[in-house]
Amino acid sequence: QALTPFLLASNLEIGIIDTMKTKLHKAYYVLALIDIVTIAITLLLAYSIYQTYEKSYRVNEQWMQRSAKYDELTDLAIKANGPGNNVFHNLDVKTEKEHLIHMNQKINSLITYLQSDAKEHLNQYPEINQRLNQFTAYLDEANRLNERIFSHIKKNKIREAGEIMATMDAQFHQGLLEISRLRKRVRSIQTEHLSFYHQNATAIFYKEFYIAGFIMLLVGFMVYFGRKIKTSFEQLLADLELQNNNLAD
C-alpha cells in the first residue's frame, strides 16, 4: 500500500512519455511532409522559369530570323530599283531586264514567304500583311513603269525615260518608307513578346523566392521546436529516472 503512489506516478509518467513520443513523431511527419511539398513546388517553379526562358529564347530567335528576312527584302528592293544609270549610257536593255526579272523573282519569293509566315504565326497583327500587300502593289506599279522606261530607251527617247525614272524614284522612296515602317513594327512586336516573357519569368522567380523563404522559416521552426521538444523530453526522462531511483531506494 505504501508503494502504490510511487507505482501510480511511474505508470502515469510512462503514459505521458508514450503520448509525447506519438505527438513528436506526428509533428515530425507533418513537418517533413510540408517540407517535401514546398520543395516540390520550388522545383516546379524552377522548371517553369527554365521553360519560360527557353520559350523566350526560341521566340527571340524566330523574330531575329524574321527581322533578317525584312532586312533582306529592303536590300533586294534597293538592288531592284529599276534600270541602273548605266543603261542610259550603253542602252543595254536586255541585260538590265534580265537583272530586273531575276531580282523580282527573289523579291516575290521572299514576300510570299513573309505573307505565309504572317498568316500562320502573326494573324493578330493584320497590319503586317497589309503593309506587305501595299509593297507588292508598289512592285507591280514599278514593273509597269520599268517596261515603259525600257521601251523609251529602245526608241532612244532618253528624256521621256528619264521623266518616268523620276516618277519611279519617288514611288521607290515611298516603297522603302513602307518597308521601314514594317521593319519597325516587326521589331516593336519582338520587343513586346520578349518583355512579356521577361515579366512572366520575373513573376515566377519572385514566387520561387517567397517559397524558398518559407522553406527557410519552416526549417528554422523545425530546428527550434525540435530542440525545445528534445529538451523537455530529456528533462522528463531525467525526472522519471530520479523517481525510479527513489522508488528503488
Side-chain angles (χ1 to χ4, degrees):
Q1 289 179 355
L3 293 177
T4 298
F6 292 100
L7 293 174
L8 290 175
S10 178
N11 290 332
L12 179 63
E13 291 193 6
I14 290 173
I16 292 173
I17 289 173
D18 290 339
T19 302
M20 286 188 67
K21 280 183 179 180
T22 303
K23 289 183 177 180
L24 183 63
H25 288 158
K26 286 181 178 179
Y28 274 124
Y29 287 146
V30 171
L31 289 174
L33 181 61
I34 294 174
D35 204 13
I36 290 171
V37 170
T38 50
I39 289 173
I41 293 173
T42 304
L43 291 175
L44 285 174
L45 288 173
Y47 181 71
S48 298
I49 290 177
Y50 166 76
Q51 286 288 90
T52 301
Y53 277 112
E54 184 69 18
K55 288 179 182 177
S56 174
Y57 172 77
R58 288 198 298 269
V59 167
N60 184 47
E61 194 175 44
Q62 291 171 358
W63 279 102
M64 286 180 67
Q65 291 173 356
R66 286 192 183 102
S67 298
K69 291 291 185 183
Y70 287 107
D71 292 341
E72 183 183 350
L73 181 61
T74 304
D75 294 337
L76 288 175
I78 292 173
K79 291 177 182 177
N81 182 26
N85 291 329
N86 61 333
V87 78
F88 288 96
H89 299 293
N90 55 30
L91 304 181
D92 189 2
V93 176
K94 181 181 179 182
T95 302
E96 194 66 30
K97 284 189 73 171
E98 289 176 353
H99 165 73
L100 189 59
I101 290 171
H102 178 66
M103 296 305 299
N104 280 338
Q105 287 174 348
K106 284 187 174 181
I107 291 175
N108 289 330
S109 175
L110 185 54
I111 287 181
T112 301
Y113 167 80
L114 291 174
Q115 286 176 330
S116 174
D117 178 69
K119 287 179 180 178
E120 186 175 356
H121 302 291
L122 309 173
N123 53 4
Q124 69 271 37
Y125 305 106
E127 70 272 21
I128 291 181
N129 252 324
Q130 181 182 355
R131 293 190 184 280
L132 284 171
N133 291 335
Q134 288 174 354
F135 184 70
T136 302
Y138 153 75
L139 284 178
D140 293 338
E141 178 63 22
N143 286 328
R144 283 193 293 270
L145 290 175
N146 276 328
E147 287 296 327
R148 292 178 61 191
I149 291 170
F150 290 137
S151 176
H152 284 311
I153 291 174
K154 281 183 179 180
K155 297 174 183 177
N156 288 325
K157 296 180 179 180
I158 305 301
R159 180 180 174 183
E160 290 83 349
E163 290 174 352
I164 298 174
M165 189 77 170
T167 303
M168 197 178 78
D169 282 343
Q171 290 192 356
F172 173 71
H173 178 67
Q174 291 298 322
L176 285 186
L177 285 178
E178 196 64 41
I179 296 180
S180 178
R181 296 187 192 101
L182 186 58
R183 288 166 64 186
K184 286 181 180 178
R185 181 59 183 140
V186 166
R187 281 168 172 78
S188 69
I189 295 172
Q190 179 183 10
T191 303
E192 290 170 9
H193 277 239
L194 294 180
S195 176
F196 165 76
Y197 282 108
H198 177 71
Q199 291 174 1
N200 193 23
T202 303
I204 296 175
F205 172 77
Y206 279 121
K207 287 180 183 178
E208 186 175 21
F209 179 77
Y210 295 145
I211 292 292
F214 175 73
I215 291 176
M216 291 180 66
L217 287 175
L218 182 62
V219 171
F221 280 126
M222 287 178 65
V223 172
Y224 173 75
F225 285 112
R227 288 186 176 181
K228 192 172 182 181
I229 292 171
K230 182 181 178 183
T231 302
S232 301
F233 197 64
E234 289 176 347
Q235 183 63 42
L236 187 60
L237 288 176
D239 292 343
L240 180 60
E241 184 68 23
L242 179 62
Q243 293 210 14
N244 284 338
N245 289 336
N246 290 337
L247 180 59
D249 291 341

